[in-house]
Amino acid sequence: MALNLRQKQTECIIRMLNLNQPLKQSGTANEEVYKILIYDKFCQNILSPLIHVKDLRKHGVTLYFLIDKDRKTVRDVPAVYFVQPTHSNIHRIISDASQALYDTFHLNFSSSIPRPLLEDLASGTLKSGSVEKVSKVYDQYLEFVTLEDNLFSLAQQNTYVQLNDPKAVEKDIEAIIERVVNGLFCVLVTLGVVPVIRCPSGGGPAEMVASLLDQKLRDHLLSKNNMFAEGGGFMSSFQRPLLCIFDRNFELSVGIQHDFRYRPLVHDVLGLKLNRLNVQGEKGGMKSFELDSSDPFWSANSSLEFPEVAGGGETQLNKYKRDVEIETQLNKYKRDVEEVNKRTGGGSGAEFDGTDLIGNTKHLMNAVNSLPELTERKQVIDKHTNIATALLGQIKERSIDAFTKKESDMMMRGGIDRAELMAALKGKGTKMDKLRFAIMYLISTETINQSEVESVEAALNEAGADTSAFQYVKKIKSLNVSLAASANSASRSNIVDWAEKLYGQSISAVTAGVKNLLSSDQQLAVTRTVEALTEGKPNPEFDSYLLLDPRAPKPSSGGGSHVKGPFREAMVFMIGGGNYVEYGSLQELTQRQLTVKNVIYGATEILTGSELVEQLGLLGKKMGLGGPVASSSSSGH
């Protein structure tokens, strides 16, 4: 059975809401207890895509509050706390317990609580005489946000900037790597699997995370109470997943480019966050919509090109997709409503036959039973009509379709005609659209034409765009060219030494593989690599990848494993920000490839192209390539 992260995390949360008691097959506790739920902002974001208000009520939660809000005493009611293990949260819990706000306190931490904080909690409640109020303390290992069955985010913002900051010292980098490893460990505990780990070698963030995760899993497997015990000894690769770890510099372009598929477009243009978005309604005012697996239209169409989703002449030729277009669904709904009207005598052409009372009663019953389904279908159609209308307005205003096509052509051809380049930069589109397009031009072009680059910069300045991100990528690109040119010369080490001083600790991630940063392959580099790694066959391109198996004896040098593949389950993790384009590509891989049947994709955060460019711009400013350094406004989820 395929791993389903959303289902596993939801089960853990439901168990927590039921005071960590065993649940019946119906998914509820043996004894219904009314309780209060207290959470912090981070844990609210964990709950938001998984649990709705009606679900909370089903599990006996009558009230729910943020931990930092002032709350009144509620007698004789237990409180379930779900918070990160931080100093401020511990002190607030001690304060709540000392005031006896609730009958008992069931404390659930999103990750393992460090011993010093646990001691603070114990001494604080002891001093205030409230220690007996604390019923249980649990480490839940749930410090990640699951957005879809196979999609998660660690919600660790600005990791790309932090890892590539030229001023970052080793201690800073180690703290970031440890935080990422702790998040990944939570995902693996929730799934109950110990994967075989692969990543590019070369000392970059991916290798640092892979090595530390391997060690953390090894240490944990040695403990008597390890949470993977049920998995048993050496399982075959068809039962264990392969975890492939990359960092954003492995393929920078995919994080920046425009995309014309429904899900990436909704995320990029309308700002999908935690599976929710707000769009302008037809009659003015904002409408809030939820997009997740409970929406059948979203599930069926989110990976399609936008014209196929919204209807159009070309789509009508594609018969097998016809059932899932908005226009088709709308017509089907209208036909069904007419059918209901006819059955109940409400239609204009139907006559009520009093002699067939029993027959009409049956028709009426069938009609009443079908109404909720029709109403629900109408709501789904209205929702996606609203979304499609909002997208269409933005596409026309900004020529997003033209940017998408030109960027795709650039990546395939390795360049673009100068007149076409300048026309795009001086045509429709926001400042950010043009900046992203200009960066894609830099990444896709094999050799930089200096006068052309100057023209691009002038066009960006004319459009009022902040060129810091453009300058940063240009610098990295020129550095890569220098490294490639001196690959076999003694000057290479001098360049790397100089680069580390200028670009910080993580330069190796950028310089490890020029071909990946400048990938112009039609298939995404990540997808192509994962496909090869899951097959487990010898491949000169990927044989240098690190291979770590936490269940295997540690070899004296380098990585190793008794498990070589093939793998039916894969997990792909992107350090520094993932996106819906990569996620969609990896899901398509499972449809067309025979070996791997399920791929879970995760990242430190899920970023739009604009948010990643903002982080590149911040790095440019830190290197003195733009205006004054400003705090990043990136807010991936």
Side-chain angles (χ1 to χ4, degrees):
M1 188 177 155
L3 295 173
N4 186 322
L5 187 58
R6 184 185 174 93
Q7 182 187 329
K8 290 277 189 183
Q9 192 180 27
T10 305
E11 285 170 2
C12 292
I13 287 167
I14 287 170
R15 189 174 62 239
M16 176 188 78
L17 293 177
N18 287 285
L19 309 182
N20 293 288
Q21 299 298 315
L23 302 177
K24 294 186 290 188
Q25 281 191 326
S26 62
T28 54
N30 292 318
E31 183 188 354
E32 189 169 9
V33 178
Y34 291 105
K35 72 224 34 132
I36 287 170
L37 175 63
I38 311 295
Y39 45 66
D40 60 13
K41 190 65 186 165
F42 189 92
C43 291
Q44 183 184 30
N45 290 345
I46 294 172
L47 294 169
S48 177
L50 301 176
I51 301 284
H52 298 102
V53 172
K54 66 177 187 294
D55 300 317
L56 290 176
R57 288 184 184 139
K58 178 184 170 186
H59 297 290
V61 176
T62 52
L63 296 168
Y64 43 92
F65 303 103
L66 280 163
I67 191 169
D68 55 4
K69 299 291 182 211
D70 290 331
R71 288 166 275 120
K72 293 177 181 175
T73 304
V74 182
R75 304 283 180 201
D76 305 322
V77 174
V80 174
Y81 280 72
F82 181 38
V83 294
Q84 285 186 296
T86 62
H87 282 287
S88 59
N89 284 340
I90 294 295
H91 290 151
R92 191 64 191 246
I93 290 167
I94 293 167
S95 168
D96 290 354
S98 65
Q99 294 173 61
L101 286 187
Y102 314 112
D103 187 42
T104 53
F105 289 64
H106 297 258
L107 307 180
N108 300 272
F109 294 102
S110 57
S111 61
S112 181
I113 180 170
R115 187 152 192 90
L117 286 181
L118 194 58
E119 288 170 357
D120 285 353
L121 177 65
S123 62
T125 50
L126 205 59
K127 279 178 192 169
S128 63
S130 57
V131 72
E132 76 285 346
K133 287 278 180 190
V134 179
S135 176
K136 289 278 174 65
V137 179
Y138 292 93
D139 293 334
Q140 290 291 357
Y141 295 99
L142 293 172
E143 196 151 305
F144 58 95
V145 177
T146 305
L147 299 166
E148 298 193 16
D149 290 353
N150 290 334
L151 176 66
F152 72 92
S153 161
L154 298 186
Q156 296 178 3
Q157 293 183 5
N158 298 321
T159 309
Y160 186 84
V161 170
Q162 292 159 4
L163 284 173
N164 293 282
D165 187 344
K167 294 185 175 66
V169 295
E170 200 168 328
K171 189 180 169 187
D172 298 333
I173 300 291
E174 284 172 359
I176 296 157
I177 296 297
E178 188 175 356
R179 199 168 75 238
V180 172
V181 167
N182 288 339
L184 268 176
F185 185 76
C186 287
V187 173
L188 296 176
V189 168
T190 301
L191 287 170
V193 294
V194 178
V196 175
I197 305 168
R198 298 296 301 266
C199 73
S201 55
E207 184 173 340
M208 292 163 80
V209 167
S211 301
L212 190 61
L213 180 62
D214 174 58
Q215 191 55 54
K216 189 177 178 77
L217 286 166
R218 285 177 185 279
D219 293 345
H220 185 74
L221 288 169
L222 291 174
S223 65
K224 286 181 183 175
N225 301 322
N226 92 73
M227 287 164 288
F228 303 103
E230 66 277 10
F234 294 103
M235 300 196 300
S236 78
S237 61
F238 263 58
Q239 291 167 289
R240 287 177 65 192
L242 178 72
L243 170 58
C244 307
I245 302 175
F246 303 95
D247 93 281
R248 186 66 273 158
N249 288 324
F250 179 79
E251 190 177 22
L252 194 58
S253 58
V254 69
I256 297 168
Q257 69 192 53
H258 291 83
D259 195 274
F260 215 51
R261 276 162 289 200
Y262 195 32
R263 181 166 39 206
L265 203 55
V266 166
H267 179 231
D268 193 9
V269 176
L270 301 180
L272 180 69
K273 291 273 183 246
L274 298 169
N275 294 344
R276 287 185 172 84
L277 78 162
N278 296 311
V279 297
Q280 193 80 34
E282 289 174 6
K283 297 174 183 176
M286 298 302 286
K287 287 190 173 183
S288 183
F289 296 122
E290 197 161 348
L291 294 170
D292 59 20
S293 55
S294 66
D295 180 332
F297 189 90
W298 179 249
S299 297
N301 297 284
S302 54
S303 60
L304 296 180
E305 295 277 327
F306 178 66
E308 295 176 53
V309 174
E314 200 174 333
T315 312
Q316 304 307 319
L317 303 172
N318 207 345
K319 288 181 183 176
Y320 71 92
K321 286 179 182 164
R322 199 174 275 179
D323 284 348
V324 292
E325 293 156 10
I326 290 174
E327 287 295 325
T328 314
Q329 288 278 22
L330 196 55
N331 292 332
K332 189 170 186 292
Y333 168 77
K334 285 174 182 172
R335 285 198 303 273
D336 287 352
V337 170
E338 282 171 18
E339 185 65 28
V340 170
N341 284 334
K342 281 179 188 173
R343 286 180 188 172
T344 56
S348 54
E351 292 179 18
F352 185 76
D353 185 357
T355 58
D356 191 13
L357 189 59
I358 295 170
N360 274 303
T361 304
K362 278 183 181 174
H363 284 318
L364 188 61
M365 288 298 290
N366 289 335
V368 168
N369 289 335
S370 65
L371 277 174
E373 187 202 334
L374 292 177
T375 305
E376 195 175 320
R377 203 192 303 169
K378 176 72 164 68
Q379 286 171 348
V380 170
I381 293 164
D382 287 349
K383 178 207 296 188
H384 288 280
T385 304
N386 268 292
I387 292 169
T389 304
L391 281 176
L392 201 58
Q394 289 288 307
I395 290 164
K396 284 181 177 176
E397 192 178 313
R398 293 163 52 186
S399 287
I400 294 170
D401 51 338
F403 281 118
T404 304
K405 187 174 187 314
K406 285 185 174 72
E407 287 166 4
S408 178
D409 290 347
M410 278 195 296
M411 293 303 284
M412 285 183 71
R413 297 204 308 254
I416 187 173
D417 175 71
R418 183 167 184 157
E420 197 179 351
L421 172 70
M422 298 315 295
L425 290 171
K426 292 184 177 182
K428 287 183 182 178
T430 64
K431 289 182 277 190
M432 182 57 81
D433 287 328
K434 293 173 182 180
L435 182 57
R436 285 164 67 181
F437 180 69
I439 292 170
M440 288 298 294
Y441 152 75
L442 271 184
I443 292 173
S444 65
T445 311
E446 286 291 326
T447 51
I448 291 177
N449 179 322
Q450 201 53 47
S451 69
E452 202 165 83
V453 170
E454 285 170 10
S455 299
V456 169
E457 284 181 41
L460 288 174
N461 285 325
E462 194 180 314
D466 181 343
T467 60
S468 305
F470 183 83
Q471 302 284 358
Y472 176 75
V473 175
K474 187 173 80 168
K475 203 84 169 173
I476 293 290
K477 168 107 179 183
S478 64
L479 174 64
N480 273 326
V481 172
S482 303
L483 281 168
S486 60
N488 300 313
S489 70
S491 65
R492 178 181 169 85
S493 60
N494 296 335
I495 291 174
V496 172
D497 289 344
W498 164 78
E500 285 187 348
K501 284 173 191 155
L502 180 63
Y503 291 90
Q505 300 292 321
S506 297
I507 188 64
S508 53
V510 181
T511 58
V514 178
K515 66 180 184 302
N516 288 326
L517 181 71
L518 311 175
S519 172
S520 57
D521 194 347
Q522 176 63 0
Q523 190 182 359
L524 298 187
V526 167
T527 309
R528 187 166 51 85
T529 305
V530 170
E531 184 172 5
L533 293 175
T534 51
E535 284 174 355
K537 295 173 185 172
N539 186 324
E541 195 178 344
F542 307 112
D543 287 346
S544 64
Y545 274 47
L546 216 62
L547 173 60
L548 302 168
D549 184 354
R551 284 200 184 277
K554 199 162 191 177
S556 53
S557 63
S561 173
H562 60 284
V563 179
K564 298 290 185 187
F567 296 87
R568 292 185 74 83
E569 298 264 357
M571 298 173 68
V572 179
F573 185 74
M574 186 60 71
I575 303 161
N579 52 73
Y580 282 101
V581 179
E582 256 166 4
Y583 171 60
S585 176
L586 288 164
Q587 297 313 302
E588 284 166 19
L589 175 66
T590 63
Q591 304 301 315
R592 62 176 171 76
Q593 202 237 33
L594 295 174
T595 308
V596 66
K597 291 297 172 196
N598 190 47
V599 178
I600 293 174
Y601 176 76
T604 44
E605 58 180 327
I606 304 296
L607 295 172
T608 64
S610 302
E611 287 167 346
L612 179 56
V613 167
E614 282 174 16
Q615 294 200 30
L616 291 170
L618 194 57
L619 286 168
K621 287 186 173 69
K622 283 175 181 283
M623 286 171 49
L625 297 173
V629 176
S631 61
S632 174
S633 60
S634 168
S635 56
H637 49 215

